[in-house]
Amino acid sequence: MPEVTSLFRLPLGQAARTISRRLQRAYQQHKHIIVPMLLAPIGMGLSIPSDGGARPGQESHSLKARATDPKGIHGHPSTILSQTAAQFASEITIANQAGEKVDLKNSLMILSLCLTRGSRFSIEAKGEDAAQAVTALARVLAEELKVASVWSVSTDVQVKLKGMAVTDAVVIGRALPIKEVLDIESYPRIDIRAEAERQGKSVEDLLRNRLGLVVDAFRAIEEELVGDESDVAQTLSVLLMEIKTKVLEHMEKNTLCARDAVEALLNDYKVLRVSDNEKMQSIYTDIYQMCTKMLSIKHRRVVDIRREIERLGRDDVVIVADHISPADVGLVNDARVAGIVRENGSREDHLSLRLGDRQKAGLVNARDAVAAVRLGSQIIVDGMTGRLIVNPGTSTLRKYRILKKRSDAVMASLVALRESPAVTRNGARIRLMGNAANPEEVALLLEHGLEGVGLVRTEFFFIYDREGLTRKAEPSVVEQTRYYTELIRAAGDKEITFRTIDPDLDKSFPYFSRLNGDLVAGGKKGLALCLDREGHGPYYYAFRNQLKALLLTNGRIKVMFPLVRSNEEFLFAMEVVDSVRAELESQGIKVNDRISYGIMVEHPAVLRHLDELAADERLDFFSLGTNDLTQYLTGTNRYSSVTSQYFDELDPRVIRAIDQTVKAAARADIQLSLCGNMGNEGRKLLVLLGLGVRSISFSSRFADLARQLISSVDSDSLRLMVRNIAGITTGSEVRRYIDEFILEQERAGAWADLSVYEDLLFD
């Protein structure tokens, strides 16, 4: 009795496990005794080890899951699970990570496993109805009780996972799971001198060989990026060139192996990793992942994703991975890739931005996605809800096929409206603009019925030449003038706005490093950097040359300065314009006198200077840069996998800043436009219309829907909606109110046309 008495002094779970272990030992020794009868009076069951696999004629199926409820798998879920399991004839067990296995049909034994939040566990069923049992238990865990994330099921039952949608695209495709290790610790560290002695080679010969391998690995990444002409790929190419130069430099100067050189490089950029600025942290992540990609190529561990796509042999491939290196951003251009799902990443990182550009499906933060799929598994990526559905059932497939067919038909019907102006029900005219970086992108915007270019990102022309190769020197004034002229001609009689160079850590000019042009975390940015003759002189002179090239163009254009913080910065910029103009005119050169000048409103510091700026007769317009404005006001980073979920352009602080800018422009009677991404979602667009923004940049993908939404609503009602939003304190509450407001308008018959497009307009 002393042993029995001591059990009552133990916590319930520990006592139950102790009893279970003792009974299991007894069972092994005395299988002819019916041990469960000993516990029948107190209602306990036994964990009886199986003698092996399923018997002939029986099936064996299992699932793996992770407890997500703050209380873990506690009393109520244990009871429901045991009751569900009891409905099936199969032998069903549940095991924790330590391998302790108990009978799922007994709730007390489930509790003995102590499955706390975050614990991983597995359920196995053996018997004729094993598949049905596992299907039912997966549904109970994830959908009814909602206490666990089910991430692997041996039978092809439907599994739903949640992530964060990158785009609103919905795709039905086949899974390509990618398991590539991007961890520097997995690569060897070699002492070059000792290795040379061991091989009987000179240190110089061995180092030369290792340098060649590293150069070849970097070249493979460069070739992948050069094939993608997007701004994103060009930004990454610049970063890659800097990484390559410094890794090789560390190897050669310090006689280091590739891994040690990478670690030295990462130490050089430690300031980015420990920075409070999450954009800096995200740049560090890009550097780290491109370095580990190089190492994986060098050591022949790289996963050739394009070859895997080829082997799958489908044109509806959905890549499912933990991480995708920035070096693989070109995968988005592959016509066979319908979407990319990642367990990590951010909705605003480089890969996500490219998915948006190419109108492809994507999810980030989709936990356990890789384990949930098998090669070729049918999956659905739902960008409207952020769901990943693995092995969808017949009814689910039917539903999504109908939805896709309907959305395709709706989008096709909107093409006919591209020649029509965007006008609200009560006659407010809205100008639909777009952003571009080259003449081809301008042509695409006009093809989609957009009315001009709200932003030309000029800095990329300073980084790459016409062939997409990284420049070794600044483009000449003549070459720049030719580039700007081509863009002006591509726009025809449409408005076009050039943003002057906006270098940053992730888009610095590579050829300036030898001219004291290195950018540092926390350093000057935007216009302040271009006006800094002392600290970063090269950018000042590049800025002057750019203004010279713009003044040598013909036609009506707009020029705006980035990240302006004060009236003094704008005045200084205009002094540079006057100086360049005077220099050209003194040489008898005719300059373009049809240029209007403005600023981007994207830093909170400028908000208190808006009236002063608007009163300056040289300033003709404000352009809202809501991407950076939102980051600064909310203290988040759209590139971060941690805080991007809190990057919210419907945050009341952002709405107030836009309202302040709109009113300042109205008081001074100057033009106002928005060149950020905020217009590319229905709720946000409604807020912008209600605030009085009348010139908005859209992606070519969203432009047709935007035109339809504008024609379905009236600006008077939206002004009322925005006034009511003024008292709301969070972005999520703003969303809820907008949804309620839309429903009220539809019920009243005011916005009846909108209901047809709701699924496509609102994420």
Side-chain angles (χ1 to χ4, degrees), residues 332-407:
V332 178
N333 298 320
D334 195 314
R336 298 166 296 182
V337 176
I340 298 178
V341 175
R342 290 175 286 162
E343 294 191 9
N344 291 280
S346 156
R347 287 183 295 185
E348 299 289 343
D349 63 20
H350 292 115
L351 186 62
S352 295
L353 293 175
R354 283 300 288 142
L355 287 167
D357 290 343
R358 301 290 294 179
Q359 307 176 35
K360 294 191 175 184
L363 297 178
V364 294
N365 291 345
R367 295 287 300 277
D368 302 319
V370 177
V373 302
R374 289 181 285 178
L375 180 64
S377 294
Q378 188 165 48
I379 59 176
I380 297 172
V381 181
D382 186 346
M384 308 301 293
T385 64
R387 283 181 181 160
L388 172 66
I389 304 174
V390 183
N391 301 318
T394 304
S395 60
T396 302
L397 268 176
R398 186 184 303 114
K399 167 190 167 185
Y400 275 94
R401 282 172 176 156
I402 292 172
L403 175 65
K404 191 171 188 312
K405 184 177 180 180
R406 185 169 67 85
S407 65

Side-chain angles (χ1 to χ4, degrees), residues 390-644:
V390 183
N391 301 318
T394 304
S395 60
T396 302
L397 268 176
R398 186 184 303 114
K399 167 190 167 185
Y400 275 94
R401 282 172 176 156
I402 292 172
L403 175 65
K404 191 171 188 312
K405 184 177 180 180
R406 185 169 67 85
S407 65
D408 289 346
V410 168
M411 292 302 295
S413 70
L414 296 177
V415 173
L417 302 177
R418 289 179 179 173
E419 300 300 320
S420 305
V423 183
T424 64
R425 284 177 175 269
N426 61 330
R429 175 76 166 84
I430 311 299
R431 299 178 68 228
L432 275 60
M433 309 293 283
N435 300 339
N438 54 56
E440 293 74 26
E441 290 182 5
V442 173
L444 181 64
L445 295 178
L446 300 184
E447 181 185 326
H448 281 78
L450 293 169
E451 302 171 62
V453 184
L455 166 66
V456 175
R457 300 174 289 270
T458 61
E459 55 271 5
F460 293 108
F461 188 73
F462 282 72
I463 299 171
Y464 299 99
D465 62 20
R466 297 302 183 90
E467 283 70 46
L469 300 175
T470 304
R471 292 185 183 276
K472 300 188 184 310
E474 179 186 339
S476 68
V477 171
V478 172
E479 188 179 0
Q480 285 187 62
T481 304
R482 189 181 304 121
Y483 165 66
Y484 302 138
T485 299
E486 289 176 4
L487 284 160
I488 295 167
R489 287 174 179 166
D493 60 351
K494 307 295 184 184
E495 180 180 298
I496 184 166
T497 304
F498 294 92
R499 180 182 68 191
T500 57
I501 54 175
D502 185 23
D504 204 342
L505 279 172
D506 60 343
K507 47 183 178 176
S508 60
F509 299 172
Y511 40 83
F512 279 170
S513 60
R514 63 181 184 275
L515 300 174
N516 191 31
D518 287 323
L519 300 181
V520 296
K524 292 184 178 181
K525 298 179 182 179
L527 184 59
L529 176 67
C530 294
L531 298 176
D532 182 7
R533 297 183 62 173
E534 302 300 327
H536 293 83
Y539 291 100
Y540 169 78
Y541 293 105
F543 177 60
R544 282 187 64 94
N545 287 338
Q546 180 178 41
L547 291 174
K548 185 180 294 185
L550 288 166
L551 284 165
L552 291 173
T553 62
N554 290 308
R556 186 176 298 281
I557 64 172
K558 299 169 79 172
V559 172
M560 63 183 177
F561 306 119
L563 209 65
V564 176
R565 300 180 187 224
S566 67
N567 188 45
E568 288 72 21
E569 284 186 354
F570 174 71
L571 292 175
F572 192 178
M574 293 309 298
E575 287 178 13
V576 179
V577 171
D578 292 341
S579 171
V580 173
R581 178 189 293 273
E583 178 186 327
L584 291 171
E585 289 178 338
S586 69
Q587 300 171 25
I589 300 174
K590 182 176 178 3
V591 299
N592 189 346
D593 59 0
R594 293 190 292 167
I595 301 178
S596 56
Y597 296 91
I599 67 164
M600 290 191 70
V601 178
E602 51 185 342
H603 195 286
V606 79
L607 296 174
R608 61 179 178 271
H609 301 291
L610 291 177
D611 286 324
E612 184 182 7
L613 281 158
D616 192 312
E617 62 180 11
R618 301 286 299 275
L619 188 138
D620 297 299
F621 65 93
F622 290 148
S623 183
L624 282 156
T626 49
N627 300 347
D628 280 338
L629 185 63
T630 301
Q631 287 190 161
Y632 283 116
L633 286 171
T634 61
T636 60
N637 175 23
R638 56 201 173 106
Y639 299 104
S640 167
S641 60
V642 178
T643 66
S644 63

Side-chain angles (χ1 to χ4, degrees), residues 57 65 103 115 212 233 253 273 282 304 408 422 502 523 556 606 703 733 762:
D103 185 359
L115 298 172
K253 283 187 176 181
R273 178 172 57 82
S282 69
D304 189 335
D408 289 346
D502 185 23
R556 186 176 298 281
V606 79
E733 290 173 343
F762 306 109

